[in-house]
Amino acid sequence: MYDNLLDAEARIAAVYPIEMIGDPENPPKWVEEFAKNIDNDFVASIVEQLPELAPVANPEAYLSEKDHAQAIAAEWAWAGRKGFVVSFEVCMRRYQKDGSGIFVSGWGAYHLCWLYAEAIDEIGPKVLAVACDLHSKAEARAAAAVLPNPYRPQIRTAEERKGGAA
């Protein structure tokens, strides 16, 4: 669909190298943000991809977000995990319901997304794929909204009521 972040209305907020977290007992703020968003679909998919996070996936097992972040950082350290956690944003698009593909968007409303990449050169294509998927789903929802509701009477023009054009 798109071949660059500008056209896909996506931007990378941050790229975090996992192996450079340092001391798991005092993880960087981004690990706390990751832990806070663990129920987010994007973060949950990272947890599914990285088996070492399975034991620490439940945030309710910890007294605080910081404790949870420490547990996540420790699991990554013990597993020797390399790669990158990426935080990125994708504009929310509001498509016209006429199926024309016309949309309104802006950076006032955006999806906050996360992904895991093993290599730095995987990041761009993965972000583009997520952005394209989000936009396709938004367009499909708008198109589905124009389908007639079988439980609501359809409004017909005067000409249609007289037996004219259908």
Side-chain angles (χ1 to χ4, degrees):
M1 186 175 205
Y2 299 103
D3 60 0
N4 64 67
L5 295 179
L6 176 64
D7 291 339
E9 294 186 303
R11 61 186 177 196
I12 295 174
V15 177
Y16 304 109
I18 294 173
E19 65 185 313
M20 295 182 186
I21 287 177
D23 182 4
E25 290 190 23
N26 192 19
K29 290 283 183 205
W30 73 264
V31 181
E32 286 184 45
E33 190 68 24
F34 181 87
K36 183 170 46 174
N37 286 292
I38 203 137
D39 292 330
N40 170 303
D41 289 343
F42 294 103
V43 175
S45 76
I46 294 173
V47 171
E48 289 173 12
Q49 285 179 313
L50 306 179
E52 67 270 16
L53 295 182
V56 295
N58 181 6
E60 294 179 17
Y62 300 91
L63 296 175
S64 70
E65 288 173 0
K66 183 168 176 124
D67 289 344
H68 192 202
Q70 289 172 335
I72 290 170
E75 290 297 329
W76 276 331
W78 294 328
R81 174 63 61 190
K82 296 181 186 302
F84 304 90
V85 171
V86 181
S87 170
F88 63 101
E89 300 156 349
V90 179
C91 272
M92 288 185 184
R93 291 184 174 176
R94 291 174 297 285
Y95 283 87
Q96 298 291 324
K97 294 181 180 178
D98 60 6
S100 65
I102 297 171
F103 62 88
V104 176
S105 65
W107 286 105
Y110 57 86
H111 301 276
L112 176 59
C113 310
W114 297 77
L115 64 79
Y116 168 76
E118 289 187 14
I120 198 90
D121 59 344
E122 293 177 1
I123 295 171
K126 284 186 170 191
V127 169
L128 280 172
V130 171
C132 291
D133 183 55
L134 288 170
H135 296 325
S136 294
K137 287 177 180 174
E139 190 171 11
R141 278 192 306 273
V146 299
L147 294 175
N149 182 342
Y151 302 106
R152 189 173 82 203
Q154 299 301 307
I155 299 172
R156 298 183 305 161
T157 64
E159 189 174 307
E160 288 174 331
R161 285 192 298 265
K162 290 180 185 175

